[in-house]
Amino acid sequence: MPLIAFVSPKGGVGKTTLAAHVAALLAQRGHQVLAIDLDPQNALRLQFGLPLREESGFLGEITRRPLWRQAMIETGYGVRVLPYGTVDPLAALETAQALQAEPELLVGPVREMLADPERIVILDSPPGPTSAMSALLPLVDLMVVVLLADAASAALIPQIASNRWLGRGRLATRAGERGVVVLNQVDLDAPLASAVFDGAAETLGARLVGAVCRDEAVAEALGDKRMLLDARDGPAAEDLRAVTDAIAARLRLAAPGQQGRRRGSFAALSDWGLR
Ligand SMILES: Nc1ncnc2c1ncn2[C@@H]1O[C@H](COP(=O)(O)OP(=O)(O)OP(=O)(O)O)[C@@H](O)[C@H]1O
Ligand SMILES: [Mg+2]
């Protein structure tokens, strides 16, 4: 049911890395996860070890109204992926224009995906505003804004805190309220990073849901077609788990198997006046 979007006004900050790791960690906990790449770079599939020759996709084909169930690719991580598809830049531009004219091309299928209460849908997006993301804004439950702990990111934090970072309309403000922040590539030994982290924590409070340290293991793992899914994979792996925990807590995602227990009706309690 929940739709989690990884977004950022900035490029190269770790949106794809975080989207893929959170997806894989949630799948590892038994959730049914579908990850959609909204970025014509088509990089999300690489995180899941799909081969470069795999050129099929979903959003890049959206004007042809692809069937999303058929476009889904199973990965070795228990996550199903809808890659963007390999397309030339002009085609990506045409897709963006088509979505602006007819958002329902994307909103319709995503609504269908979300109709399954067990399914978690994760979006990886390109930097900045896009027609795909604006189309999906009303459906998003959690927008995870990825920033670095640097001066340029620090300058954006007040906008995020005031819920105005997606624009000034009511829809944008409401979507903005669902935004949380993760700082990535943080080196707490660097004075600037440490100061930005402290400032973000003060300004954003509980909306700063986590930080991931800068760790060469992240880039190396991608080069090795692996993900860092074990806390023993190093400091970034531990941070990625903590971010996943925070997102799960925020969305009140009960681990599968515990849902029944949580939701149980416990009929006797009402007889005893306890409910
Ligand atoms: N915590 C980290 N420590 C070290 N390197 C990292 C970390 N997080 C991401 N990287 C590396 O930084 C680069 C950019 O990451 P990624 O592609 O996830 O960013 P992005 O925000 O999705 O970029 P784009 O805006 O191009 O989509 C990649 O090479 C990735 O391996
Ligand atoms: Mg990316």
Side-chain angles (χ1 to χ4, degrees):
M1 226 292 265
L3 179 61
I4 309 171
F6 286 81
V7 300
S8 182
K10 297 173 67 60
V13 293
K15 297 177 293 296
T16 303
T17 305
L18 274 146
H21 280 82
V22 169
L25 286 164
L26 289 173
Q28 199 179 59
R29 295 169 191 194
H31 292 286
Q32 192 195 131
V33 185
L34 170 58
I36 311 178
D37 194 350
L38 302 181
D39 187 343
Q41 288 184 82
N42 201 20
L44 184 66
R45 71 199 163 127
L46 305 177
Q47 289 280 346
F48 289 98
L50 299 181
L52 268 180
R53 64 171 185 283
E54 176 61 73
E55 297 193 340
S56 70
F58 177 64
L59 194 64
E61 300 285 325
I62 204 80
T63 52
R64 284 180 219 118
R65 301 172 193 268
L67 298 172
W68 61 271
R69 285 193 178 83
Q70 284 178 16
M72 283 191 310
I73 300 178
E74 301 274 351
T75 69
Y77 295 93
V79 176
R80 292 188 174 114
V81 178
L82 283 171
Y84 186 92
T86 309
V87 299
D88 64 68
L90 199 60
L93 215 54
E94 282 167 8
T95 298
Q97 283 163 352
L99 279 177
Q100 208 153 15
E102 197 182 346
E104 198 56 28
L105 282 172
L106 177 62
V107 174
V110 172
R111 215 184 275 119
E112 273 175 38
M113 297 169 201
L114 296 171
D116 181 340
E118 303 300 326
R119 181 181 289 124
I120 299 172
V121 181
I122 291 189
L123 305 174
D124 178 28
S125 62
T130 62
S131 48
M133 196 47 99
S134 1
L136 294 175
L137 274 187
L139 301 184
V140 171
D141 295 290
L142 194 68
M143 305 270 279
V144 183
V145 188
V146 185
L147 294 172
L148 302 180
D150 62 9
S153 290
L156 297 167
I157 287 172
Q159 273 184 48
I160 294 170
S162 66
N163 300 327
R164 296 285 189 185
W165 54 285
L166 291 168
R168 294 193 172 266
R170 261 185 69 200
L171 185 62
T173 307
R174 280 192 52 198
E177 286 164 8
R178 279 169 261 149
V180 295
V181 172
V182 173
L183 294 180
N184 187 28
Q185 305 194 28
V186 180
D187 174 3
L188 285 178
D189 292 333
L192 175 61
S194 176
V196 171
F197 181 85
D198 291 345
E202 196 173 314
T203 309
L204 293 165
R207 290 174 73 185
L208 178 64
V209 290
V212 180
C213 68
R214 187 197 302 274
D215 181 351
E216 269 313 299
V218 176
E220 284 168 5
L222 180 58
D224 263 353
K225 285 195 169 185
R226 327 181 259 117
M227 278 199 260
L228 305 176
L229 300 181
D230 190 312
R232 286 166 299 185
D233 285 330
E238 271 184 60
D239 293 341
L240 287 161
R241 293 179 87 81
V243 166
T244 307
D245 288 340
I247 289 173
R250 195 101 195 171
L251 289 170
R252 297 192 172 84
L253 295 177
Q258 289 181 5
Q259 282 167 353
R261 262 181 273 157
R262 280 222 181 151
R263 285 205 210 116
S265 52
F266 302 112
L269 296 187
S270 54
D271 285 350
W272 301 335
L274 291 173
R275 287 188 70 175

